[in-house]
Amino acid sequence: MKAVNVNTLLSLKSNGEKFPVITAYDSAFARQIELAGIEVVLVGDSLGNVVLGYTSTVPVTMDDMLHHTAAVARGNDKSLLIGDMPFMSYATEEMTMDNAALLMQAGAQMVKLEGGAWLEESIFMLSERGIPVCGHLGLTPQSVNKLGGYKVQGRDEEAAQTIFTDAEILQTAGADLLVLECVPTDLAGRISKHLDIPVIGIGAGPDTDAQVLVLYDMLGFSPRIPKFTKNFLSDTGDVQLALKAYADAVRSGEFPAPEHCFT
Ligand code: KIV
């Protein structure tokens, strides 16, 4: 695989080619992900749940993210590396600029922020200063306490319209990618078709431009496996084959199947 950048992903979208994204938190798995030819690696703040043993992503700190982003960057120099900005690290525009810069200096090539229209100015400022941005709408786990649990979002017409409008606002502000988490298939399909930037789904059905899974969920290591995940390790017991099976299933459109989706 040649080194992936934002233009690679835009071309995949314009050619109608789906691509896989996966999380990683250390160098060893980052290397396996590069070997499997997976285009994008996300150092997600799911780190808190699957590696650090917290019950949510809220306790994850900038220091945690910098440490794990640097480790992933040392193991993989081909996949595009997205670093997640943790809870409250982008509460003000000044904090956003400072913390995004630290993540980029640790090895990220793009930063991801959870939230809608309220992020418009921050995304504009990051983008203007040369920092690529991935938005994140739908179920935004850092807001679990406000949302009242890990629930599918955008199920009624008004909520769906808010997500649709937020997606437009993020793209116009300068976002380069968008994650949609746990939203109905139909809504994710409409947003993916409407936006020019690639949309990455997780629990968002088969009609997005890309899919992302949490590495430890798709390897079956997490204590609670969400409905939208599939265990790709169980067939062979080989991590490299599991990653390749996931990448193939995303590219062919075989994953996600109806049992992984919400209506
Ligand atoms: O933190 C994470 O791993 C994420 C993905 C689930 C999209 O944000």
Side-chain angles (χ1 to χ4, degrees):
M1 174 171 70
K2 274 179 41 188
V4 175
N5 60 41
V6 283
N7 294 329
T8 321
L9 304 180
L10 278 174
S11 307
L12 289 171
K13 173 158 180 152
S14 59
N15 294 335
E17 292 175 51
K18 293 183 188 287
F19 58 90
V21 180
I22 193 144
T23 67
Y25 316 96
D26 65 37
S27 264
F29 277 117
R31 189 165 301 112
Q32 292 298 316
I33 289 164
E34 180 180 286
L35 281 173
I38 293 181
E39 278 86 352
V40 183
V41 61
L42 166 67
V43 187
D45 62 351
S46 50
L47 167 76
N49 306 84
V50 298
V51 175
L52 302 179
Y54 298 130
T55 54
S56 81
T57 57
V58 171
V60 176
T61 63
M62 266 309 290
D63 281 347
D64 293 331
M65 292 309 301
L66 293 173
H67 183 72
H68 289 271
T69 299
V72 169
R74 286 191 289 268
N76 183 329
D77 52 21
K78 297 283 192 314
S79 312
L80 180 99
L81 196 168
I82 307 178
D84 233 348
M85 299 199 59
F87 181 68
M88 290 302 277
S89 66
Y90 47 103
T92 65
E93 278 152 27
E94 198 179 340
M95 288 170 78
T96 310
M97 297 307 119
D98 291 349
N99 287 322
L102 291 174
L103 270 180
M104 298 296 282
Q105 287 167 342
Q109 293 159 308
M110 182 179 290
V111 298
K112 180 165 82 56
L113 301 84
E114 297 181 6
W118 69 275
L119 285 173
E120 184 176 14
E121 187 58 25
S122 294
I123 292 176
F124 178 75
M125 288 176 73
L126 288 169
S127 186
E128 286 287 293
R129 284 156 182 74
I131 299 189
V133 176
C134 178
H136 184 152
L137 295 171
L139 174 56
T140 46
Q142 290 171 16
S143 305
V144 60
N145 295 300
K146 184 82 178 167
L147 296 173
Y150 296 100
K151 300 175 187 161
V152 179
Q153 302 294 307
R155 275 201 147 135
D156 64 67
E157 217 168 288
E158 195 184 333
Q161 187 53 48
T162 302
I163 295 174
F164 193 98
T165 308
D166 281 348
E168 283 180 322
I169 291 170
L170 299 192
Q171 171 172 280
T172 307
D176 300 275
L177 290 177
L178 175 66
V179 167
L180 283 179
E181 178 165 354
C182 290
V183 298
T185 294
D186 163 64
L187 174 63
R190 282 194 293 124
I191 293 174
S192 306
K193 206 166 165 201
H194 182 67
L195 296 191
D196 298 324
I197 59 172
V199 175
I200 306 166
I202 175 163
D207 301 328
T208 54
D209 306 302
Q211 298 289 329
V212 56
L213 283 181
V214 170
L215 175 70
Y216 288 16
D217 290 351
M218 61 79 83
L219 295 177
F221 294 173
S222 307
R224 199 192 125 265
I225 305 294
K227 168 187 163 75
F228 50 77
T229 285
K230 177 178 166 182
N231 183 333
F232 284 91
L233 184 67
S234 53
D235 279 351
T236 61
D238 180 307
V239 168
Q240 187 52 212
L241 292 179
L243 291 169
K244 285 192 169 133
Y246 165 61
D248 289 347
V250 170
R251 292 191 182 112
S252 68
E254 192 187 307
F255 177 80
E259 67 265 27
H260 308 119
C261 304
F262 303 104
T263 50

